[in-house]
Amino acid sequence: VLPQAPGYWGRFANGRIESFYPTARPLLQVHEMVTHANRIAKSLYELHQFAAPSYCQGPMLFVELRDWYKQACGLVFSDESLQQRYQELNLPSLAAELDALEDAVAPDAPVVFCHNDLLSANILLDENQIRLVDFEYGSLNYRTHDIANHFNEYENLPTLAQQRAFVQAYNASAVDDIMNELPVFMEANHLYWGLWAILQAYAEGCDEYDYMEYGTQRIRQYWVVKRGE
């Protein structure tokens, strides 16, 4: 049982049931992630000490990236506008990028049980305690990818000083290692959610939420970060 996470009671077709905290509220305002950065960092560190269930196998980042990439290539949207936007992404160009990203990850990069979706709405403030919820994407993964994912969810990417302060609060003995690993995982994270969104656009459409626009933004941001713009 994770002390900072709710109890798990079961799941249904498209969701899960977790314990309810009557005094807790999500950090719906993104700027609150800055305010509570140290507490979030410590809670994330505690999560990363959790022994993953036996069914979890290996870091999932590139397994999922390659699977999603394979699914995303060759899609045909019935909506002409969506098809045009999809073609403009030029997904075949990402094949070499995935290879380069995976090659850039050190073989001994720490792998732990990760949340993988630590945006503000999945972080609860329960009086003075931080609780993490919605473990739908939880799995074994690279430690630094979980941190990179969190940083990419800021309204404005935290400065290097803010990143370093967060990592210092997370684990003072691993600051330099994590800071060196962050760039490649921040790039990979943009492709992770970009490809996810393209598949969502195909499966669910874009009437209620424009998944294609979100996916386009994340893939574009990958190129921006890679080029250092």
Side-chain angles (χ1 to χ4, degrees):
V1 177
L2 300 172
Q4 73 278 56
Y8 170 71
W9 294 99
R11 63 185 307 124
F12 50 94
N14 191 33
R16 48 189 285 137
I17 302 173
E18 299 177 348
S19 297
F20 176 66
Y21 297 116
T23 59
R25 66 170 180 84
L27 302 184
L28 293 176
Q29 301 298 320
V30 177
H31 71 267
E32 287 189 313
M33 293 201 295
V34 178
T35 303
H36 300 286
N38 284 0
R39 290 177 179 175
I40 296 169
K42 291 173 182 177
S43 289
L44 189 59
Y45 179 79
E46 290 175 7
L47 171 65
H48 288 171
Q49 309 315 301
F50 175 66
S54 59
Y55 58 79
C56 292
Q57 297 181 353
M60 293 301 296
L61 178 60
F62 290 101
V63 173
E64 290 181 321
L65 271 172
R66 294 188 182 283
D67 180 46
W68 292 350
Y69 176 72
K70 183 178 180 180
Q71 293 182 55
C73 286
L75 294 178
V76 178
F77 289 82
S78 58
D79 182 288
E80 291 185 7
S81 175
L82 286 179
Q83 182 65 23
Q84 177 64 31
R85 292 161 65 189
Y86 165 77
Q87 290 177 333
E88 290 173 356
L89 292 171
N90 189 23
L91 292 186
S93 66
L94 296 180
E97 302 302 316
L98 292 179
D99 290 340
L101 286 169
E102 189 166 17
D103 288 344
V105 175
D108 59 350
V111 174
V112 297
F113 182 76
C114 291
H115 185 283
N116 293 318
D117 191 21
L118 205 57
L119 45 76
S120 60
N122 289 340
I123 304 170
L124 302 185
L125 180 62
D126 187 6
E127 296 179 345
N128 291 321
Q129 184 175 2
I130 289 292
R131 298 187 185 276
L132 311 180
V133 296
D134 194 352
F135 283 80
E136 178 183 1
Y137 295 96
S139 70
L140 273 182
N141 219 336
Y142 296 104
R143 167 193 67 183
T144 305
H145 178 258
D146 221 9
I147 297 172
N149 181 92
H150 178 63
F151 288 163
N152 279 343
E153 293 295 343
Y154 277 55
E155 189 171 8
N156 295 303
L157 187 68
T159 65
L160 285 176
Q162 289 174 322
Q163 293 176 33
R164 194 172 188 87
F166 182 97
V167 174
Q168 178 77 24
Y170 170 87
N171 183 358
S173 66
V175 175
D176 289 339
D177 289 342
I178 293 174
M179 291 301 295
N180 288 334
E181 292 169 353
L182 271 172
V184 66
F185 285 117
M186 293 177 89
E187 291 177 17
N189 183 251
H190 285 303
L191 294 187
Y192 181 88
W193 290 115
L195 291 171
W196 170 87
I198 300 306
L199 294 176
Q200 292 296 113
Y202 184 75
E204 298 188 19
C206 296
D207 292 337
E208 295 186 12
Y209 180 80
D210 196 342
Y211 288 106
M212 184 64 75
E213 177 61 23
Y214 180 76
T216 298
Q217 289 179 4
R218 293 303 294 260
I219 291 173
R220 284 177 178 168
Q221 193 61 26
Y222 163 76
W223 293 108
V224 168
V225 173
K226 179 182 178 179
R227 295 164 181 158
E229 298 175 1

